[in-house]
């Protein structure tokens, strides 16, 4: 990106390496303020991304290569709005939060709203819980409890 120089007639280009360095410093500062004692440990075999969502969302992530299924467990949970009981969604969320091989949980925001009391009680930094839109339900930042928590920690209330 660019901005106008002090004279106002020539664009002054920002050095991208300086900007990237600044962003890295800010991310590190935020990370340290959020979780100063907790360190993310490396794991042999890496970490998984879990997905809780409607059929279209889960299918998209499975086609992108996120899926992992064995005889004991999987890292995805498909929610049928008409047939899946709330208790099953809550159990899937809680099971994913307890697994050591999962680093990120992606959950459709409209599903997170259905189990908001459970999502709000989860306070650990890992696995990170990210609320995402679905095809039928757009993302609403004011309903994302995790985003609201980060904004409160950083002292920002603007959308």
């Amino acid at each position: 990106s660019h901005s106008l120089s002090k004279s106002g007639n020539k664009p002054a280009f920002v050095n991208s390496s300086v900007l990237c360095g600044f962003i890295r410093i800010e991310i590190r500062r935020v990370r340290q303020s959020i979780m100063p004692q907790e360190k993310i440990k490396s794991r042999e075999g890496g970490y998984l991304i879990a997905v809780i969502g409607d059929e279209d969302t889960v299918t998209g992530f499975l086609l992108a290569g996120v899926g992992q299924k064995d005889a004991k467990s999987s890292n995805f949970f498909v929610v049928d709005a008409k047939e899946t009981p709330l208790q099953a969604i809550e159990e899937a969320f809680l099971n994913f939060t307890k697994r050591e091989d999962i680093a990120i949980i992606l959950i459709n925001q409209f599903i997170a709203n259905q189990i908001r009391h459970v999502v709000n009680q989860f306070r650990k930094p890992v696995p990170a819980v990210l609320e995402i839109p679905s095809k039928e339900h757009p993302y609403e930042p004011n309903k994302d409890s995790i985003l609201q928590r980060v904004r409160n920690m950083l002292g920002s209330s603007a959308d």
Side-chain angles (χ1 to χ4, degrees):
S1 81
H2 67 277
S3 61
L4 292 179
S5 64
K6 290 182 182 177
S7 65
N9 54 4
K10 290 184 182 178
F13 292 93
V14 177
N15 183 333
S16 63
S17 64
V18 171
L19 182 60
C20 289
F22 174 76
I23 291 170
R24 270 190 232 107
I25 290 169
E26 284 302 303
I27 290 171
R28 193 174 304 127
R29 185 181 66 79
V30 169
R31 187 180 299 146
Q32 288 170 348
S33 70
I34 292 173
M35 52 182 198
Q37 291 88 13
E38 296 188 43
K39 301 280 184 194
I40 298 176
K41 301 174 189 107
S42 63
R43 179 182 175 277
E44 189 176 324
Y47 289 92
L48 299 174
I49 297 173
V51 182
I52 300 173
D54 59 17
E55 187 174 11
D56 290 337
T57 300
V58 173
T59 301
F61 280 100
L62 292 177
L63 289 171
V66 170
Q68 176 85 15
K69 185 172 176 121
D70 58 28
K72 298 177 195 172
S73 63
S74 70
N75 66 330
F76 57 91
F77 184 77
V78 179
V79 175
D80 182 325
K82 295 176 184 173
E83 295 184 20
T84 306
L86 287 179
Q87 184 178 358
I89 301 169
E90 292 172 3
E91 287 175 11
F93 180 82
L94 292 172
N95 287 338
F96 288 151
T97 62
K98 293 174 186 169
R99 287 180 47 181
E100 293 183 10
D101 61 337
I102 292 180
I104 299 171
I105 299 172
L106 301 176
I107 182 169
N108 284 135
Q109 189 176 51
F110 81 96
I111 295 169
N113 288 337
Q114 294 173 22
I115 61 164
R116 181 62 61 200
H117 59 285
V118 177
V119 173
N120 287 348
Q121 288 176 356
F122 183 73
R123 297 278 188 189
K124 293 181 181 178
V126 178
V129 178
L130 302 175
E131 296 181 19
I132 59 174
S134 69
K135 193 165 81 171
E136 302 292 325
H137 303 88
Y139 177 74
E140 297 180 47
N142 59 336
K143 291 185 178 179
D144 187 335
S145 63
I146 290 87
L147 179 61
Q148 296 303 323
R149 196 176 320 147
V150 169
R151 284 182 176 164
N152 288 338
M153 283 197 243
L154 299 178
S156 173
S157 62
D159 287 299

